[in-house]
Structure formats: C-alpha cells, structure tokens
Amino acid sequence: MATQLKLTFPILWDERLKVGEAFGLAFTLPDDLKTVYLGFGNDLAVRNGDPSWRLAVRNGDPSWRLPVPARFVIDARGIVRSVQADPDYTYRPEPETTVDALRKVVGA
C-alpha cells in the first residue's frame, strides 16, 4: 500500500494481529457480542454474504479477534513519538493530527 500511495515511509500490515497483541491492542469479541453481530447479519468471517472474504484470509486469523483502531508514529531509531488509540471504533482522530506528528519526526 505504501508503494501504491507513493508514501516515503513504511506502513504496517498487522497480519494475525501480532503487533496489536504486543501493544495490548487486540481483543476477541465476547460471545454475546458475536450473537448481536450475527443477528444483524454481520459475520466477521463472511463479509456481505461473500464467503471468499474472510478474516482468516485478510488477517490470517480465523477467530473473532479485532484490533483496537490505533495509529503510531515511530521514528527512525524505533522510538514511538505519537500514539492515537481508542477502543471506540467510531472515533478516529483527524488525519492532520497524525500528519503533524510525522512532520515533527522528520523536522519539517
């Protein structure tokens, strides 16, 4: 994706939520919430009735595990300079907040 978007920095694809787990940002939906999701026709293993779209294929993980939405800005030395994470998936920080953090890291 970084190449496709012509980004000058790497981005992370967190297959199997390994990084999310390391940062404490992965969780498994409880059974009662799975029932609610399924009641609305939202099966995380099958999207829009298309069995070819599965979490097992996209995330490499067949469970009902999800990441907490998060953005990290990490400098070239591996130091985390900015974190934005919120378990409320409806909240997303403004992109400009992340861009500002990136500018500070590169000194722009």
Side-chain angles (χ1 to χ4, degrees):
M1 180 181 278
T3 303
Q4 183 182 28
L5 295 174
K6 299 179 183 172
L7 300 177
T8 59
F9 52 87
I11 57 174
L12 172 73
W13 173 264
D14 189 11
E15 187 172 11
R16 297 184 184 211
L17 297 173
K18 290 178 181 181
V19 175
E21 276 191 0
F23 289 136
L25 295 171
F27 67 97
T28 301
L29 257 56
D31 288 338
D32 60 333
L33 199 49
K34 288 180 198 176
T35 302
V36 171
Y37 273 50
L38 290 168
F40 287 121
N42 188 358
D43 184 343
L44 294 183
V46 180
R47 183 173 170 176
N48 298 327
D50 180 359
S52 68
W53 192 99
R54 297 187 181 277
L55 276 180
V57 173
R58 299 209 21 124
N59 292 343
D61 185 347
S63 71
W64 281 66
R65 293 172 7 149
L66 294 172
V68 171
R71 296 179 194 167
F72 291 82
V73 175
I74 304 170
D75 71 14
R77 294 179 303 189
I79 298 171
V80 176
R81 298 297 180 173
S82 173
V83 177
Q84 301 162 340
D86 194 313
D88 179 355
Y89 71 92
T90 63
Y91 172 75
R92 297 284 200 259
E94 292 297 322
E96 191 61 30
T97 305
T98 304
V99 171
D100 286 344
L102 288 166
R103 285 185 181 121
K104 288 177 185 173
V105 167
V106 298

